[in-house]
Amino acid sequence: MDVEKFSIIKKISLNSNQLKWMAMLTMIVDHTGAVLFPQYIILRIIGRMAFPIYCFLLVQGYFHTRSLWKYGIRLFVFALISEPCFDMAFFGKWYEPAHQNIFWTLLLGLVLMELCSRNQEKEWNLTPVLLVLSALAAWFLNTDYNWTGVVLIYCFYQAHKMEGKKEKLMQLASQSFFHFICWGGIQRYGILSTFVLWLYNQKPGSRKGKLLYYSIYPIHLLLLCWLRRTI
């Protein structure tokens, strides 16, 4: 019986589409707690899993996208669309230059991966310079998760080049460093996402709902704004 249970657990896996849904749902739970129910810390704890999963999916998307330009344009367009929604939800006004939404962090991470990939063909290794410049850009723009978000994306990018246990150890080490040393506090619970990512089976799953994956971010923020005013 114990052997059967172990075999069942071993067969549990998640494809890319399922990870997307998990990222979206935990993000919505997190923002619902932040905007409507800040007294319920459990909602924020659950939400700590969202960002690492989004970073992981960004890296997977980079290596599997058919058009990097279209991928980058989508991130840029939704970064623009989402900014007033983000500012209204968290700062109560349509424009707040002091903080930018998560799409900008992801876009910087995507650009960084492409620059590092192209640099591999060059004689001089400029990766450290590119990493610092991207981190400084995130810091200057004050994007969500700031420079640490961009560096975490880079760590996942490097982990993707490894195989098997090495990749998983790299993910665990990266997440442990950021969640416990750089961020601390409630962010420590984000380490739980590591075990979710280990269930990834390298399969895309259903390709339907791509637009929903991006549009859910500004839509749910506007909905939270409306609920806050009506409750």
Side-chain angles (χ1 to χ4, degrees), residues 19-110:
L19 283 178
K20 287 179 181 179
W21 278 101
M22 184 170 290
M24 287 190 291
L25 291 175
T26 52
M27 175 190 68
I28 292 173
V29 169
D30 179 42
H31 292 167
T32 300
V35 177
L36 299 180
F37 306 107
Q39 68 273 29
Y40 298 117
I41 196 66
I42 184 63
L43 300 178
R44 306 305 310 281
I45 290 175
I46 294 172
R48 295 310 91 212
M49 297 177 63
F51 180 67
I53 297 176
Y54 273 115
C55 292
F56 178 83
L57 289 171
L58 178 78
V59 174
Q60 298 303 314
Y62 170 75
F63 282 102
H64 296 100
T65 185
R66 296 176 181 176
S67 174
L68 184 64
W69 280 105
K70 290 182 179 179
Y71 194 12
I73 290 173
R74 277 198 302 271
L75 289 175
F76 177 72
V77 169
F78 276 96
L80 291 176
I81 294 173
S82 302
E83 193 57 39
C85 308
F86 176 82
D87 292 342
M88 179 57 70
F90 293 104
F91 303 104
K93 49 186 176 180
W94 291 110
Y95 178 64
E96 174 51 65
H99 201 104
Q100 319 306 322
N101 72 76
I102 198 65
F103 273 115
W104 296 110
T105 310
L106 298 176
L107 179 59
L108 285 173
L110 183 70

Side-chain angles (χ1 to χ4, degrees), residues 161-229:
K161 300 178 181 179
M162 303 177 182
E163 295 181 358
K165 293 182 179 180
K166 289 184 179 181
E167 179 180 5
K168 292 181 177 180
L169 287 174
M170 179 64 172
Q171 291 173 358
L172 179 60
S174 302
Q175 294 236 56
S176 298
F177 176 76
F178 286 102
H179 290 299
F180 290 96
I181 298 179
C182 291
W183 295 330
I186 194 176
Q187 295 286 2
R188 290 176 296 179
Y189 293 98
I191 194 67
L192 297 174
S193 63
T194 303
F195 307 105
V196 174
L197 299 180
W198 285 357
L199 298 177
Y200 180 54
N201 58 16
Q202 309 291 330
K203 297 179 181 179
S206 175
R207 296 186 182 276
K208 297 180 180 179
K210 180 182 289 187
L211 184 61
L212 175 64
Y213 177 62
Y214 291 93
S215 59
I216 194 66
Y217 187 80
I219 289 174
H220 92 280
L221 289 176
L222 287 177
L223 181 59
L224 289 175
C225 290
W226 177 76
L227 288 173
R228 182 171 56 190
R229 292 188 176 188

Side-chain angles (χ1 to χ4, degrees), residues 147-161:
W147 65 270
T148 56
V150 173
V151 178
L152 180 59
I153 292 171
Y154 175 77
C155 290
F156 280 164
Y157 166 74
Q158 291 296 334
H160 185 274
K161 300 178 181 179

